[in-house]
Amino acid sequence: MGPEELAIIMSPQFINATFRAGEDWYYGMLERTQEANRLAQHRHSFEVANARYAVVNHQLLHDAREQNAKWKAFANDLVRKHDDYAVSVKRLLNRKDALFCSELSARNALERQLNEEKACSAEKDNEIAQLKQDWNWFSNTLDTTHAALTSEQQKVAALQAENEKLRAALSAAESDRQRLQEDNAAFLSAADHFEQKCKDLKSDLTRSQQALHEEEAEHLNLSHDLKNVHLVNEALSSASLLAMVLMEQTRGLWAAQGKPSMMDNPLASHCRSDGQPLTVREYLWFATLMREMTAHNVPDHLVSTYCPVAHRGDFLTRPVIIQEKRPD
């Protein structure tokens, strides 16, 4: 190394630029690490809130389904009871109608018999004197029949009154049935409303779960990125120390051989990704960093980013050829 190069390296501007580049790299890496931590905390808060929301949605859906089932069972029970009551009333009314028709037929038969007896008495008016005893017997029979007919007429009147009561009861039952049908329709409408609400809640839950899956995928990517950042930091830290030791050892070997330092000499065997030849210093740094990143299982795309060299596949195994610097 010549006095001019030594003066440049030892100048305050070169030292300040070197330290400033190191500080910029360090603070940039620290800022990226803090940003990754903030994203992880935000992800954790979102997961907790989403889990609570999922529990509330599940409870609302469960309660709505139970209430809907209770209302449907209650409405079906009311309809069944009303139908049983209507059938019973209709049967009783039919029996009363049959009994009334039977009594009416009996009364008509008695009336016909009475008319026949009157016609017979009219024909035998001329024989009243001779048949007085028979007439008395006939009068008694007629009185008995009339009393029986009066009794039957009273029974028929009672049956008619009871029939009217049954008709009124049937009309009230029909009104109750209509009211129950209206209540049942209202219950079914409310049940449909709650069922639609349950479907809406289920749709919201599905969207929340989809958002959670997307957030989980993003969180997984962030976790991988954060892990890769840690691996790169570890590889950079260990590579910095190893490269400094390797460079000092190389300088010591050249000094022991009486040779000047060739750290800034270009290589004929290794180039950057843009085709420019690497210096010895750059080769030692990239070779050390590449080994450390491989040892720390850093992903290949990050190795390419931090080691922009050409033909990276045989970079470490290719023989190193140092070009001699031409004197100015």
Side-chain angles (χ1 to χ4, degrees):
M1 182 182 297
E4 294 180 355
E5 295 176 348
L6 182 62
I8 292 173
I9 293 174
M10 298 302 294
S11 65
Q13 293 83 358
F14 181 81
I15 295 173
N16 291 335
T18 302
F19 276 102
R20 186 161 50 252
E23 288 177 353
D24 293 341
W25 172 83
Y26 172 76
Y27 286 118
M29 186 62 67
L30 181 62
E31 183 178 357
R32 287 192 294 273
T33 302
Q34 291 175 351
E35 181 65 21
N37 291 332
R38 284 195 298 271
L39 289 175
Q41 292 176 358
H42 174 72
R43 170 64 182 163
H44 177 69
S45 300
F46 178 81
E47 287 178 351
V48 172
N50 195 65
R52 293 177 180 172
Y53 179 70
V55 171
V56 172
N57 282 347
H58 183 269
Q59 186 62 37
L60 287 175
L61 185 61
H62 179 71
D63 294 342
R65 285 177 177 173
E66 286 188 350
Q67 187 63 36
N68 188 18
K70 290 179 181 179
W71 282 349
K72 284 186 177 180
F74 176 72
N76 292 331
D77 186 62
L78 286 178
V79 171
R80 182 180 58 79
K81 290 181 178 180
H82 175 266
D83 291 340
D84 293 342
Y85 177 74
V87 169
S88 299
V89 171
K90 187 174 182 180
R91 288 177 179 175
L92 180 60
L93 185 60
N94 291 334
R95 284 199 297 269
K96 292 296 183 180
D97 288 339
L99 182 60
F100 174 74
C101 291
S102 177
E103 294 292 337
L104 185 61
S105 298
R107 186 188 66 173
N108 292 332
L110 290 175
E111 287 181 351
R112 286 194 299 272
Q113 184 180 0
L114 179 60
N115 292 330
E116 291 175 357
E117 293 293 337
K118 286 182 178 180
C120 184
S121 68
E123 292 174 356
K124 294 182 179 182
D125 284 339
N126 296 327
E127 299 177 2
I128 290 176
Q130 290 81 9
L131 301 174
K132 187 175 182 179
Q133 185 177 359
D134 296 334
W135 171 250
N136 291 332
W137 174 84
F138 178 75
S139 295
N140 293 332
T141 303
L142 183 61
D143 292 337
T144 302
T145 303
H146 182 71
L149 181 59
T150 303
S151 177
E152 292 299 327
Q153 289 177 346
Q154 292 176 353
K155 290 180 181 180
V156 170
L159 288 175
Q160 288 178 344
E162 187 175 357
N163 190 17
E164 292 298 328
K165 291 181 180 179
L166 290 175
R167 291 183 184 277
L170 181 60
S171 177
E174 184 66 23
S175 299
D176 293 338
R177 183 174 179 277
Q178 291 179 357
R179 181 176 56 80
L180 288 175
Q181 286 180 346
E182 293 175 356
D183 294 341
N184 187 28
F187 281 130
L188 292 177
S189 177
D192 292 338
H193 173 72
F194 275 96
E195 186 174 0
Q196 183 62 38
K197 188 174 182 181
C198 292
K199 290 181 180 178
D200 295 339
L201 291 174
K202 186 176 181 180
S203 178
D204 293 340
L205 180 60
T206 302
R207 286 194 294 272
S208 299
Q209 289 176 347
Q210 183 178 1
L212 177 61
H213 292 327
E214 293 175 356
E215 287 294 332
E216 286 177 350
E218 184 179 356
H219 175 69
L220 183 61
N221 293 332
L222 290 175
S223 299
H224 289 165
D225 294 342
L226 183 61
K227 181 180 179 180
N228 292 335
V229 167
H230 289 314
L231 294 176
V232 170
N233 289 338
E234 292 176 358
L236 288 172
S237 299
S238 60
S240 298
L241 298 176
L242 293 175
M244 291 177 63
V245 173
L246 183 60
M247 289 178 186
E248 290 299 326
Q249 290 177 351
T250 304
R251 290 193 189 96
L253 290 175
W254 285 332
Q257 296 175 7
K259 295 181 180 180
S261 174
M262 292 186 288
M263 286 293 175
D264 296 323
N265 285 30
L267 299 179
S269 56
H270 294 75
C271 298
R272 289 177 174 272
S273 58
D274 58 1
Q276 295 296 323
L278 292 172
T279 63
V280 176
R281 187 190 311 278
E282 291 173 337
Y283 170 78
L284 293 176
W285 166 247
F286 286 136
T288 304
L289 181 59
M290 197 177 299
R291 288 192 184 94
E292 290 300 315
M293 284 189 171
T294 303
H296 285 82
N297 296 322
V298 175
D300 190 68
H301 70 279
L302 292 177
V303 177
S304 299
T305 301
Y306 285 89
C307 300
V309 296
H311 308 292
R312 190 163 54 85
D314 62 342
F315 184 84
L316 299 177
T317 58
R318 199 184 319 140
V320 178
I321 302 174
I322 305 176
Q323 295 181 2
E324 296 292 338
K325 278 190 174 183
R326 296 179 181 178
D328 295 336

